[in-house]
Amino acid sequence: GKQRDEQRGEEDEGIDLRQRDGREGEHGQNSAGEAEDKIKKTDKKRRDYIDYFYGKKVDSPDLYDMIINVERLRGKTLSKVLQSLV
C-alpha cells in the first residue's frame, strides 16, 4: 500500500531518463524536472505492483530470457534483429 511505498527508497534502475524525459515532455508539455519525477513515480508504482502481486522484482535478470534495448536499434535494423529471433 501507500505506507509500504513510502518506506521503499527510490531505486536507480540505470535507465537513461534524459531520453524518456524528452518523450514525456513532448507529450505532456512538462518541464524536464516534472517529466523525470513522473517517470520515476510511474516506474516505482509498476515495480511495487509486480512485487506485491507476484512477489517478483522486475529488475531480476532471472525473469527474462533476453533483453533487447530498442533505444539503440531503429527501423529496419530492429526489424531484422527481431525477425532473426523468430
Side-chain angles (χ1 to χ4, degrees):
K2 185 175 180 182
Q3 186 177 26
R4 186 171 155 275
D5 291 347
E6 292 172 353
Q7 291 174 348
R8 285 184 67 180
E10 287 292 326
E11 297 175 14
D12 178 13
E13 296 179 354
I15 295 172
D16 189 352
L17 289 176
R18 289 173 300 209
Q19 290 176 337
R20 293 174 70 190
D21 275 353
R23 288 186 295 216
E24 179 63 34
E26 289 171 8
H27 299 293
Q29 303 300 320
N30 295 327
S31 71
E34 291 171 333
E36 184 174 336
D37 288 344
K38 184 175 180 180
I39 290 167
K40 285 182 177 182
K41 286 177 184 177
T42 300
D43 287 350
K44 183 176 182 335
K45 287 179 183 179
R46 288 176 180 162
R47 282 193 313 272
D48 290 346
Y49 177 90
I50 298 297
D51 184 31
Y52 182 81
F53 286 101
Y54 300 103
K56 304 287 183 185
K57 305 289 184 202
V58 295
D59 298 336
S60 173
D62 296 334
L63 295 178
Y64 307 96
D65 292 321
M66 180 182 299
I67 299 171
I68 299 173
N69 184 346
V70 296
E71 294 294 331
R72 298 181 184 263
L73 298 173
R74 298 284 182 194
K76 289 185 180 185
T77 304
L78 176 57
S79 177
K80 288 180 182 179
V81 168
L82 294 175
Q83 286 175 353
S84 72
L85 297 172
V86 178

